[in-house]
Amino acid sequence: MTATHPTHGHTTAKHGVATGMMVFAAVMLMITGILAVFRGIAAIAEDEVFVSTRDYIFAFDLTGWGWIHLILGVVAVLISMGLFQGAGWARATGVGIAGLVIIANFLSLPAYPVWSVVVIAMSAFIIWALCTPRRGDA
């Protein structure tokens, strides 16, 4: 006797829509990007939130750091939109932009230390979620 297994209506075909860890990474990248945009705007406007330190080896002024965070934030938001759609290119570029966000926040630790550590941790979770293999990947 041979056993047959009924096929159900769901298959593992790619539908072009993100699921599971991709949605988590997309949401986290969107949040990180929006917060980076706000941080960049605050730094460009020379808000009083930031600590001014002297003799720091990475000597950008506050406006320079603001533009770096603003650009990274806008790119992160755009990549997260690609992740929501399940685009393959967005996965690799998401890891790359999250890595750049980690570097930028590490370099700007003296300006806003606690928040920089929080964003570094969020970006590490994004990289983890994007690098976790999906069930359908070979």
Side-chain angles (χ1 to χ4, degrees), residues 10-100:
H10 64 283
T11 61
T12 58
K14 295 181 180 177
H15 298 288
V17 178
T19 58
M21 295 302 280
M22 288 278 275
V23 172
F24 172 76
V27 169
M28 291 295 288
L29 192 59
M30 176 77 72
I31 291 169
T32 302
I34 290 170
L35 293 174
V37 167
F38 289 150
R39 181 179 182 179
I41 291 170
I44 292 169
E46 296 183 8
D47 197 2
E48 298 295 322
V49 172
F50 299 97
V51 176
S52 61
T53 58
R54 284 192 224 130
D55 300 328
Y56 186 55
I57 194 165
F58 306 108
F60 280 113
D61 63 341
L62 192 55
T63 304
W65 282 120
W67 281 108
I68 290 170
H69 286 285
L70 181 66
I71 291 168
L72 287 175
V74 168
V75 172
V77 168
L78 294 174
I79 291 171
S80 70
M81 290 179 193
L83 286 172
F84 278 121
Q85 295 175 355
W89 60 266
R91 214 167 163 185
T93 54
V95 171
I97 197 68
L100 290 175

Side-chain angles (χ1 to χ4, degrees), residues 73-135:
V74 168
V75 172
V77 168
L78 294 174
I79 291 171
S80 70
M81 290 179 193
L83 286 172
F84 278 121
Q85 295 175 355
W89 60 266
R91 214 167 163 185
T93 54
V95 171
I97 197 68
L100 290 175
V101 167
I102 287 174
I103 292 168
N105 279 284
F106 175 76
L107 295 176
S108 64
L109 269 169
Y112 206 40
V114 175
W115 185 246
S116 292
V117 171
V118 169
V119 174
I120 288 170
M122 287 173 63
S123 297
F125 279 118
I126 293 167
I127 292 172
W128 168 74
L130 290 175
C131 290
T132 301
R134 292 181 289 182
R135 189 180 348 212

